[in-house]
Amino acid sequence: MSRRFADRRALVTGGAAGIGLATARALAAEGARIALLDIDAPRLDETAAELRGTGAEVHALAASVADPDAVRAAFAELDSRWGGLDILVNNAGVIGKRAALDLTDEAWSRVMRINLDGVFYCAREAGRRMVAQGSGAIVNLGSIYSLVAAPERLAYCASKAAVAAMTKVLAIEWAAHGVRVNAVAPGYVETDLIAAAVRAGEIDTVPLARRTPVGRLARPDEIARAILFLLDPANAYVTGHMLAVDGGWTAYGYV
Ligand SMILES: NC(=O)c1ccc[n+]([C@@H]2O[C@H](COP(=O)([O-])OP(=O)(O)OC[C@H]3O[C@@H](n4cnc5c(N)ncnc54)[C@H](O)[C@@H]3O)[C@@H](O)[C@H]2O)c1
């Protein structure tokens, strides 16, 4: 196992489950020090304990990315432990399915506050520290719905398209300061998010797998591998990029 991230200080938001957890595991396996920020405190504690069991240094921060004061407090706590930050994986996110005409103010703003405001609050705090130290790497979680559209997902698609724009703006503002900002655009991934949508009758994974040229959903570790590629200091010339990790979903335009 390579140690590309030995002693790097990495914060993963939404790190208690799914893609965030897979990314934290992969970073820890390559030597990174890990901070997990998640709103689900009991699950956060379980995940932190699991990662500590592998010998990793892990800090658990119970907070919502949508609360700017809580985000500031979490970064301040990391300052006192680590004195800086090398990696941010801006992963926490939620979905929501409703026809545009039925989308309430609350449903719209819940998705926007977590998927967009939360990404901004965390990127801003991380960027302040990384620009000051002259190095750092951020990966934001976009989606195939940063790039293409699905019906009844107005807030989700709009939030993820905005994450794509934010990734580019931050990348060009911070490039000269040694800070890279990239994003991944996963297709459908086997996580609790998708399992809950299946249980709620909101999606059916059989046609989704059929619609995917690779013929199946992704595993969380497959998304984590792409995130680590973008974080890898060896890829210092890659910034402002959104990498589709979608089994060919966005390439497909036939019948
Ligand atoms: N699963 C997919 O098919 C898929 C596809 C494309 C993009 N994504 C994106 O990947 C990211 C992770 O998705 P996942 O499938 O791993 O989700 P998940 O629901 O399995 O895990 C998300 C984690 O984020 C946490 N979280 C939710 N709201 C939060 C908040 N306000 N503050 C802090 N933590 C919060 C949850 O507690 C959970 O631990 C999301 O941004 C999602 O939009 C997922």
Side-chain angles (χ1 to χ4, degrees), residues 13-20 37-40 43 63-66 90-95 114-115 141-144 156 160 185-194:
T13 72
I19 295 167
L37 186 154
D38 204 288
I39 200 169
D40 183 343
R43 192 142 186 203
S64 170
V65 295
N90 234 334
N91 165 78
V94 293
I95 53 177
I114 297 171
N115 292 9
L141 265 288
S143 162
I144 51 174
Y156 188 76
K160 292 296 185 180
Y188 285 86
V189 188
E190 289 168 355
T191 66
D192 292 351
L193 189 81
I194 294 304

Side-chain angles (χ1 to χ4, degrees), residues 32-226:
R33 294 184 269 171
I34 306 292
L36 304 172
L37 186 154
D38 204 288
I39 200 169
D40 183 343
R43 192 142 186 203
L44 181 63
D45 287 343
E46 273 171 40
T47 301
E50 179 215 301
L51 286 174
R52 281 188 201 110
T54 69
E57 176 188 328
V58 183
H59 299 304
L61 304 160
S64 170
V65 295
D67 177 346
D69 292 332
V71 168
R72 266 189 289 275
F75 274 81
E77 193 176 329
L78 284 184
D79 286 342
S80 62
R81 286 169 187 269
W82 285 346
L85 187 71
D86 303 300
I87 289 169
L88 168 66
V89 182
N90 234 334
N91 165 78
V94 293
I95 53 177
K97 183 178 183 220
R98 207 172 295 193
L101 292 180
D102 299 328
L103 193 55
T104 60
D105 297 352
E106 293 70 28
W108 166 264
S109 60
R110 173 173 183 266
V111 172
M112 286 298 170
R113 282 192 296 103
I114 297 171
N115 292 9
L116 182 55
D117 298 357
V119 169
F120 167 58
Y121 298 145
C122 293
R124 183 176 55 184
E125 292 306 312
R128 282 182 176 142
R129 288 151 179 86
M130 291 173 178
V131 165
Q133 75 194 13
S135 66
I138 297 175
V139 171
N140 297 325
L141 265 288
S143 162
I144 51 174
Y145 297 126
S146 299
L147 306 167
V148 295
E152 302 183 325
R153 272 111 180 146
L154 178 62
Y156 188 76
C157 292
S159 71
K160 292 296 185 180
V163 166
M166 196 189 304
T167 300
K168 291 186 206 172
V169 176
L170 296 179
I172 60 175
E173 283 199 20
W174 295 344
H177 301 283
V179 180
R180 296 184 303 113
V181 186
N182 290 290
V184 289
Y188 285 86
V189 188
E190 289 168 355
T191 66
D192 292 351
L193 189 81
I194 294 304
V198 169
R199 279 196 304 276
E202 292 179 351
I203 60 171
D204 178 350
T205 56
V206 173
L208 292 175
R210 204 183 301 127
R211 162 69 176 74
T212 309
V214 165
R216 61 174 176 82
L217 275 60
R219 297 187 313 272
D221 64 285
E222 294 178 300
I223 311 305
R225 245 192 298 284

